[in-house]
Amino acid sequence: MSNVYVIGAGMTKLGKHLERSVKDLSREAIDAALADAHLTKDAVQAAWFCNTRQGALEGQHGVRGQASLRAYGFESIPIFNTDNACASSSSGLFQGFAAVKAGLFEVALVVGAEKMNFPEKREAMFEAFKGSWDRDLADEHLARLLALGQDVLPPDSAASGSAERSVFMDIYSAQARFHMKMFGTTVEQIAHVAAKNHWHSQWNPFAQYRHPMTVEEVLADKMIAWPITRSMCAPMTDGACALVVASDDFVRKQGLASRAVRVRGMGVSSSSDRAAKDVSHHLTRVAAFRAYDMAGVGPTDISLAELHDASAIAEILHMENCGFCEYGQGGPMVASGVTRLGGKLPINVSGGLHSKGHPIGATGAIQVHDLVRQLRGEAGENQVQGAKLGMAENGGGFHGLEEAACVVTILEAPQR
């Protein structure tokens, strides 16, 4: 079967695009990806469109991809819609990767696009998050998740949390407390993650927030759900990203090898009924080691990683789940500076979700976009020198004690 490559990647700036539509954001990202691949739309043989919010906030419950891509000018090609919560566009990439690898298409397009900010629908913006878990079991699952952190209470000096927040921030708060109880992780170590990623994002021209923050500033920020402060949380973000994937034969015929980033391995998993302390069967660890197996590499081979840090604690959890350190060592590893740009294993040099931005359905594709730029040596001031292998870990929703879905992608630098 053919190798598969990312030959084009493009995205919009992330932020609040109140006057722009999903179609408009998609158009900008597709234009950029096709230009990056030196192709026109006629080369695309199939497309995956990834979005989570149009149904809840705009009433566009079905044929979202047909609507946005037909507006761009795509006609007759197969168009597939992928909604897998925060893992939507990484799931779309996995499907496009599989189709190209199987020889069904030579060139496929993956588009993630999201518009989350509707000031006139403020309540609905937060209610939409509840669509990313099992509504029938929501009360049971939430009670189990919140119970994880019930033995670790906030200090008397802790400020009250914000009433307006995603329910997932309560979940991340519980996960943080559980990790603190099990492994001794500290609030300061969690704040180191956020400070590092805000420092990274100042050099990312696509990032929603581009101001560096110190650990002290992170800790002093508005409390959301102890120990999670506002600057430890991903914001509401609008934006889009597009990826062009192609086969070995196409890359060779078009003379694109010098900038073609190989998809070396992908691993996908969903949640299980594991016990809370059974971290070795966390769905992220399962997906990561499936990706390692396909790629024929291990954690020590990875040059840099983009991890799904919708809250700062998540980066620590997934560093451990991906095998970058032993369980319980994620906090000390971040505080040591190892994961900072210039360190041995830079993580989220894009700024991560809580500084770069988190447009739900587009996030996985954006992680890949960021790694493509790095592996080509095109990341500017954020460049990780000599990067050979990059990993993207993208989780989505919640079910039981963990995310509902996870996709891990390992990419390899062009062979020059």
Side-chain angles (χ1 to χ4, degrees):
M1 289 187 286
S2 171
N3 288 325
V4 178
Y5 298 85
V6 179
I7 60 170
M11 65 178 287
T12 67
K13 191 179 186 307
L14 303 181
K16 295 182 179 180
H17 296 298
L18 301 183
E19 304 304 319
R20 301 185 66 182
S21 67
V22 168
K23 292 178 180 178
D24 186 33
L25 292 167
S26 299
R27 181 181 297 108
E28 181 181 341
I30 296 168
D31 279 346
L34 290 175
D36 187 52
H38 303 290
L39 299 176
T40 66
K41 70 177 187 298
D42 296 333
V44 175
Q45 298 169 331
W48 278 259
F49 188 80
C50 314
N51 173 276
T52 73
R53 288 298 190 266
Q54 278 197 286
L57 297 176
E58 300 182 61
Q60 184 68 61
H61 295 285
V63 297
R64 300 175 199 174
Q66 285 79 357
S68 286
L69 299 184
R70 179 68 181 84
Y72 186 88
F74 287 105
E75 298 182 2
S76 301
I77 66 170
I79 295 174
F80 305 96
N81 292 284
T82 305
D83 181 347
N84 212 14
C86 305
S88 292
S89 51
S90 58
S91 298
L93 177 61
F94 180 79
Q95 294 161 6
F97 161 79
V100 172
K101 195 168 185 66
L104 297 176
F105 310 108
E106 282 196 309
V107 180
L109 177 71
V110 178
V111 181
E114 204 74 85
K115 194 165 160 53
M116 301 178 68
N117 287 284
F118 292 83
E120 72 282 7
K121 301 178 183 179
R122 190 81 181 164
E123 184 176 347
M125 285 167 54
F126 288 92
E127 183 69 19
F129 285 98
K130 296 179 181 179
S132 293
W133 61 8
D134 188 328
R135 296 302 294 253
D136 289 338
L137 301 176
D139 291 344
E140 174 189 332
H141 286 176
L142 184 59
R144 289 177 65 194
L145 285 159
L146 296 182
L148 292 175
Q150 64 185 4
D151 295 332
V152 179
L153 301 177
D156 293 337
S157 59
S160 299
S162 167
E164 188 180 54
R165 61 178 180 262
S166 156
V167 67
F168 288 164
M169 292 308 144
D170 292 297
I171 293 171
Y172 282 123
S173 166
Q175 290 184 326
R177 298 185 197 194
F178 183 70
H179 207 267
M180 293 163 73
K181 175 185 175 181
M182 278 195 72
F183 301 114
T185 301
T186 67
V187 179
E188 288 75 19
Q189 289 168 347
I190 300 171
H192 268 282
V193 174
K196 167 183 68 72
N197 292 345
H198 281 281
W199 182 74
H200 285 158
S201 70
Q202 66 184 307
W203 295 298
N204 184 351
F206 299 102
Q208 185 163 353
Y209 299 126
R210 299 188 64 188
H211 55 274
M213 297 185 73
T214 65
V215 169
E216 293 72 25
E217 288 171 330
V218 169
L219 291 170
D221 202 359
K222 180 180 180 181
M223 186 61 64
I224 300 300
W226 189 86
I228 306 301
T229 64
R230 179 173 53 185
S231 47
M232 298 179 189
C233 302
M236 297 278 201
T237 307
D238 306 329
C241 181
L243 305 171
V244 181
V245 296
S247 68
D248 238 338
D249 286 345
F250 186 86
V251 167
R252 187 170 53 256
K253 286 186 296 186
Q254 299 294 319
L256 301 174
S258 65
R259 297 182 72 247
V261 173
R262 181 184 170 192
V263 181
R264 182 78 177 261
M266 295 193 75
V268 184
S269 64
S270 58
S271 60
S272 69
D273 287 328
R274 67 178 178 86
K277 292 184 178 181
D278 182 13
V279 290
S280 65
H281 288 93
H282 192 287
L283 87 161
T284 299
R285 191 168 187 86
V286 172
F289 279 82
R290 285 174 178 168
Y292 290 138
D293 286 347
M294 183 185 292
V297 301
T300 59
D301 296 307
I302 301 300
S303 305
L304 76 161
E306 289 287 324
L307 303 183
H308 192 95
D309 60 324
S311 176
I313 184 60
E315 181 174 308
I316 291 175
L317 299 178
H318 298 317
M319 287 166 56
E320 297 170 356
N321 287 326
C322 291
F324 296 140
C325 60
E326 296 296 321
Y327 282 102
Q329 293 304 304
M333 185 174 173
V334 171
S336 75
V338 169
T339 61
R340 195 177 179 93
L341 183 64
K344 184 177 180 181
L345 179 61
I347 293 177
N348 287 330
V349 294
S350 66
L353 279 59
H354 59 265
S355 190
K356 173 182 59 182
H358 184 21
I360 306 293
T363 288
I366 291 169
Q367 290 179 316
V368 171
H369 167 278
D370 294 334
L371 290 178
V372 166
R373 294 178 69 234
Q374 287 282 350
L375 293 169
R376 289 174 174 170
E378 299 172 352
E381 292 181 89
N382 281 76
Q383 184 64 51
V384 175
Q385 298 303 317
K388 300 298 183 186
L389 290 175
M391 171 189 276
E393 177 273 324
N394 184 209
F398 273 91
H399 197 277
L401 293 176
E402 58 192 8
E403 293 85 349
C406 183
V407 181
V408 173
T409 305
I410 298 174
L411 301 173
E412 183 178 33
Q415 303 300 305
R416 297 187 173 96

